[in-house]
Amino acid sequence: MNVELPHYTDQTPEVKKRFDELKSRKVILDIQNLNRVFETGDGEVVALKNINFKAYRREFVCVVGPSGCGKSTFIRILAGLDEPTSGQVLVDGNSVSGPGPDRGMVFQRYTLFPWLTVKQNVMFGLEMSNHSKTESESQALQWIDLVGLEKFANAYPDQLSGGMRQRVAIARALANRPRILLMDEPFGALDAQTRCQMQSYLMQIWRNVDITIVFITHDLDESLYLADRVLVLKANPGEVQEIIEVPVPRPRNPDQFVSPEFLATKKHLDTLIHPQDDEEKDDLPIMRMTNVGDEVE
Amino acid sequence: MASKSKWFAIRKELSSKRRLILTVFSFLIPIGTWCAVSYVPWLWHPMIEIEDTGDVSYFREGRLVKKEVFENENEIMASTGKRLASGKRANPVFLPAPHEVVNAFYAAFTTPPRRRGEPWLHESLWHSIQIIFWGFAVSSFFGVPLGILCGSYAVFSRLHEPFVEFFRYLPAPAFGALAVAILGIHDPPKIAIIFIGTFFQQILVISNTTRKLDVALIEAAQTLGAKPIQLLTRVVVPGILPDLYKDMRILLGWAWTYLIVAELVGTMTGITWFIYQQSKYRIYENVYAAIIMIGIIGLSTDLFLAWLGKHLFPWTQTKQSKVSQFLYRLFGPVNQTAFAPVKVEA
Ligand SMILES: Nc1ncnc2c1ncn2[C@@H]1O[C@H](COP(=O)(O)OP(=O)(O)O)[C@@H](O)[C@H]1O
Ligand SMILES: [Mg+2]
């Protein structure tokens, strides 16, 4: 199995061409010197430190990093649900100053409105922006079709499985025609098989809709399967550690999980995110276990 | 093997059969005790109902006297060679037997009031129900919006809740005299007592319910472009509605507990007037019947509202299992025509 892996920055001409093309597109998301400091009982927590990043039109960006490194804080600031301590976020050239329909969001927790049917949930955003009822309804049905849930248009969220709920949440966010779709570990609560399915659904939606996606995950495979670029954050303080261009061509399929480019990139990501993983594993618990063993004997 | 499971297991539900048995027993135990005390002659029965007065001058046929008094008098009669009185053991007049109370349920309604112009029982009951209704309605009219505002906005919460928190410890009946002085002796002060007893609890209960709404729903609505007013009307209110409804049922129960006190304020009216009147005439079976009627009206209102709630909020009834099983059976597995999912080989 000791195949020589390519370096993860090596790009085939095809991939390189795609990235050149991507970077020539319009900048949709422009994050400038973003800082976020939380004042807590025992001092300050620097959740985000000096983040600079640009995302281009129709790009798929994944954000990965260890737990507590500020991923949720990051995406909440993009959504306008949290405010930066300093720095700013521009979406389509406009400074973000609060939540708005130009940025859709899908949360890890199920946030469909339980008192509304699937159709009414998807209509919600359209009605907020003063679309007429009939127009909202016909548009909503199209989005429900797109996520393949037309038979469940009149079901309540509680009647749906987790994967179906997240598909409705995606449809609901997209129905507003946002410029950016923000997703905070949207598939984190799903079982492995459903998650795979949801990933390919999402890829197909993304291919069919003019949308830039910022997707948070702690699953490295997921990030490499979905993303054009992966933004790697490190914890304490939450800084950009590296921005990785995923050297896997598109359209992607799960066979590429074993391609050399994929494996090389994954290996690199692994070392970034779990630097001294092996040491940690050997340390404490085993000592404790031997202690317990001694007592028993 | 549910029937083999334990009767005592912390936070485990019992089988439906056992639940039914226990529900029946919860009523049977007090009623059974009452029957036993009433019908088993040697249980309690501290009085003697006189059947033959003998030569005791002040005894009257059918009157109840204490057992000791009766025995004492008979001893005196015996020692002076006079005729002994006789009688049977009985309970005091304030503890009628169950069948007498059951009869009273009918008889109380058909007995005309003693004096002209006084209300019949059904009129008294109706009057009481109106007092409760208006007290609760006025309280809710102000309490529900205020509770929702306090639960939604920190400003309202900080501005109102500390005072409300203090005020709810003041017992509503304490305001009886004031209420009469301000509002007169008829219905308004009574309604005011119900209002005071309900309103302050209502604000706190509803603001807490509002705070329990998942913030993520509000954030989701914000990212969908909802404005502040829309958040309130389109997310907060519908989101808390089923719980709000439950709160209102509990609060209505509280309002009932203030009824008697409220009706004592000013001129006595309603079911309270009936109860006092009947106890003055020493018709205690009517007193019991009236008290039990209050319970029956309260409980049946609550059961009706609970039943209604199931139909008002259909989304709270649709549990994953049954309905989605049904949908799956109708339509097969989730339709995937829009995208053929990419096959994942192990
Ligand atoms: N509201 C808050 N108040 C104080 N500290 C917070 C708050 N939200 C997040 N943090 C802190 O900021 C850091 C980043 O949190 P978060 O963005 O949730 O991380 P992640 O999503 O990557 O797990 C954590 O150390 C967390 O404790
Ligand atoms: Mg998080």
Side-chain angles (χ1 to χ4, degrees):
Chain A
M1 274 304 289
N2 257 341
V3 186
E4 190 68 19
L5 291 179
H7 195 255
Y8 74 95
T9 52
D10 293 346
Q11 292 177 351
T12 60
E14 182 198 359
V15 170
K16 188 162 183 342
K17 191 167 149 253
R18 180 175 152 71
F19 274 110
D20 289 341
E21 189 269 326
L22 187 83
K23 286 174 194 163
S24 69
R25 295 182 202 160
K26 192 176 166 208
V27 173
I28 290 286
L29 174 68
D30 190 355
I31 299 163
Q32 300 171 346
N33 299 318
L34 197 68
N35 286 282
R36 179 64 168 105
V37 181
F38 288 109
E39 311 281 349
T40 65
D42 30 54
E44 295 188 337
V45 177
V46 182
L48 296 173
K49 189 175 170 195
N50 207 22
I51 306 237
N52 286 285
F53 184 74
K54 283 183 174 57
Y56 303 90
R57 185 168 173 187
R58 298 195 79 163
E59 187 178 0
F60 200 126
V61 178
C62 278
V63 182
V64 298
S67 163
C69 70
K71 304 185 293 294
S72 294
T73 308
F74 176 71
I75 209 157
R76 287 173 59 81
I77 290 175
L78 300 193
L81 294 171
D82 192 6
E83 281 175 20
T85 310
S86 66
Q88 66 168 347
V89 177
L90 300 177
V91 171
D92 230 358
N94 303 315
S95 180
V96 166
S97 62
D102 56 333
R103 285 147 291 139
M105 177 122 171
V106 177
F107 301 77
Q108 173 173 7
R109 304 225 317 272
Y110 303 130
T111 58
L112 294 183
F113 305 120
W115 60 92
L116 299 179
T117 61
V118 166
K119 186 174 76 186
Q120 291 165 332
N121 261 288
V122 179
M123 285 164 66
F124 186 90
L126 295 164
E127 286 178 358
M128 292 302 109
S129 51
N130 295 326
H131 286 68
S132 75
K133 194 123 193 160
T134 43
E135 199 194 325
S136 309
E137 187 165 346
S138 73
Q139 286 193 28
L141 288 174
Q142 287 175 25
W143 288 103
I144 294 170
D145 268 353
L146 183 77
V147 295
L149 290 174
E150 59 276 17
K151 300 228 158 131
F152 294 86
N154 292 316
Y156 285 106
D158 277 358
Q159 297 168 279
L160 306 180
S161 68
M164 286 154 85
R165 287 187 213 188
Q166 290 305 61
R167 274 148 74 187
V168 179
I170 293 170
R172 182 176 70 171
L174 289 177
N176 257 3
R177 301 220 153 252
R179 305 297 292 145
I180 303 180
L181 183 61
L182 305 168
M183 308 180 86
D184 188 357
E185 305 200 28
F187 309 146
L190 305 177
D191 61 80
Q193 201 190 336
T194 314
R195 195 181 319 154
C196 281
Q197 262 183 22
M198 292 295 292
Q199 288 162 3
S200 47
Y201 280 136
L202 184 61
M203 292 306 284
Q204 297 180 61
I205 291 169
W206 174 65
R207 231 179 286 146
N208 287 302
V209 180
D210 175 7
I211 187 85
T212 306
I213 297 183
V214 179
F215 186 106
I216 288 181
T217 177
H218 58 254
D219 178 343
L220 301 184
D221 285 332
E222 184 171 66
S223 72
L224 293 178
Y225 178 50
L226 295 174
D228 291 311
R229 288 187 298 160
V230 178
L231 181 68
V232 187
L233 295 183
K234 71 178 173 52
N236 300 320
E239 284 180 294
V240 177
Q241 191 167 17
E242 191 173 340
I243 297 171
I244 294 174
E245 298 182 348
V246 181
V248 185
R250 290 188 187 274
R252 295 187 186 151
N253 63 62
D255 293 341
Q256 291 164 322
F257 278 133
V258 290
S259 70
E261 307 88 23
F262 186 96
L263 291 176
T265 321
K266 170 135 191 253
K267 200 169 152 212
H268 176 68
L269 259 182
D270 253 331
T271 55
L272 283 182
I273 296 201
H274 316 283
Q276 343 84 344
D277 223 19
D278 306 39
E279 281 171 42
E280 272 175 28
K281 265 182 199 143
D282 298 334
D283 254 6
L284 257 182
I286 289 182
M287 259 172 57
R288 273 199 217 129
M289 276 159 71
T290 41
N291 281 346
V292 173
D294 286 348
E295 280 166 30
V296 170
E297 281 163 8
Chain B
M1 292 297 100
S3 59
K4 288 256 160 58
S5 62
K6 289 196 206 123
W7 281 87
F8 297 94
I10 290 178
R11 301 216 49 176
K12 288 275 188 309
E13 190 47 286
L14 296 162
S15 68
S16 59
K17 199 170 137 204
R18 283 182 178 180
R19 287 206 298 268
L20 183 66
I21 291 173
L22 292 173
T23 306
V24 169
F25 265 89
S26 81
F27 281 92
L28 271 189
I29 292 169
I31 292 175
T33 313
W34 184 20
C35 287
V37 169
S38 300
Y39 299 132
V40 182
W42 64 85
L43 272 184
W44 205 36
H45 288 75
M47 310 295 278
I48 301 287
E49 184 184 343
I50 294 165
E51 287 171 323
D52 179 356
T53 57
D55 283 339
V56 184
S57 55
Y58 68 91
F59 277 9
R60 295 282 174 274
E61 223 170 276
R63 185 177 287 181
L64 295 178
V65 293
K66 283 208 182 104
K67 214 163 90 195
E68 303 85 64
V69 174
F70 182 84
E71 281 161 3
N72 206 5
E73 290 295 341
N74 265 356
E75 261 171 44
I76 296 170
M77 293 299 116
S79 64
T80 54
K82 289 187 179 162
R83 213 158 54 83
L84 296 188
S86 69
K88 59 172 196 256
R89 292 177 65 168
N91 276 332
V93 65
F94 58 78
L95 185 70
H99 72 273
E100 293 171 312
V101 174
V102 169
N103 282 341
F105 264 89
Y106 176 73
F109 280 106
T110 53
T111 313
R114 296 242 170 151
R115 270 178 272 158
R116 267 152 51 77
E118 284 179 351
W120 289 65
L121 173 58
H122 66 269
E123 290 169 327
S124 293
L125 275 174
W126 179 235
H127 193 234
S128 293
I129 290 171
Q130 282 176 311
I131 297 284
I132 293 274
F133 174 81
W134 285 112
F136 190 70
V138 174
S139 170
S140 303
F141 181 80
F142 296 104
V144 173
L146 210 52
I148 293 175
L149 285 177
C150 286
S152 306
Y153 296 101
V155 178
F156 288 98
S157 165
R158 299 288 169 200
L159 182 62
H160 295 301
E161 280 186 43
F163 178 74
V164 169
E165 200 66 75
F166 157 74
F167 205 100
R168 78 187 171 116
Y169 282 101
L170 308 183
F175 293 89
L178 263 182
V180 169
I182 298 168
L183 296 167
I185 56 167
H186 296 293
D187 289 349
K190 301 177 174 57
I191 294 171
I193 296 298
I194 305 260
F195 173 87
I196 293 171
T198 315
F199 181 66
F200 298 96
Q201 309 284 355
Q202 196 165 31
I203 292 181
L204 294 181
V205 168
I206 291 177
S207 68
N208 269 330
T209 293
T210 310
R211 272 191 279 271
K212 267 189 279 172
L213 182 72
D214 191 351
V215 180
L217 292 182
I218 293 172
E219 293 183 341
Q222 283 180 304
T223 64
L224 291 168
K227 289 155 208 72
I229 295 296
Q230 289 170 322
L231 285 180
L232 212 52
T233 58
R234 300 288 304 267
V235 183
V236 175
V237 172
I240 64 169
L241 218 46
D243 285 333
L244 179 71
Y245 186 81
K246 267 187 219 145
D247 288 346
M248 294 297 270
R249 275 172 50 203
I250 293 170
L251 287 159
L252 185 58
W254 271 339
W256 272 98
T257 62
Y258 282 103
L259 175 66
I260 301 295
V261 158
E263 286 183 332
L264 285 173
V265 166
T267 53
M268 208 190 287
T269 56
I271 194 69
T272 311
W273 173 83
F274 180 84
I275 289 172
Y276 272 75
Q277 204 71 356
Q278 296 303 308
S279 72
K280 217 161 72 188
Y281 303 142
R282 301 177 72 77
I283 313 179
Y284 284 97
E285 49 274 30
N286 282 355
V287 172
Y288 282 84
I291 292 173
I292 295 171
M293 268 175 226
I294 297 177
I296 290 175
I297 294 173
L299 182 64
S300 51
T301 321
D302 191 61
L303 290 179
F304 169 74
L305 292 176
W307 171 84
L308 189 66
K310 285 185 184 172
H311 298 266
L312 285 177
F313 312 113
W315 66 91
T316 58
Q317 297 304 309
T318 53
K319 274 293 140 255
Q320 180 96 22
S321 52
K322 276 187 193 143
V323 182
S324 64
Q325 273 169 14
F326 175 70
L327 288 173
Y328 276 111
R329 226 177 311 145
L330 275 187
F331 304 118
V334 187
N335 177 293
Q336 290 166 344
T337 49
F339 311 106
V342 179
K343 289 251 162 48
V344 183
E345 244 93 62

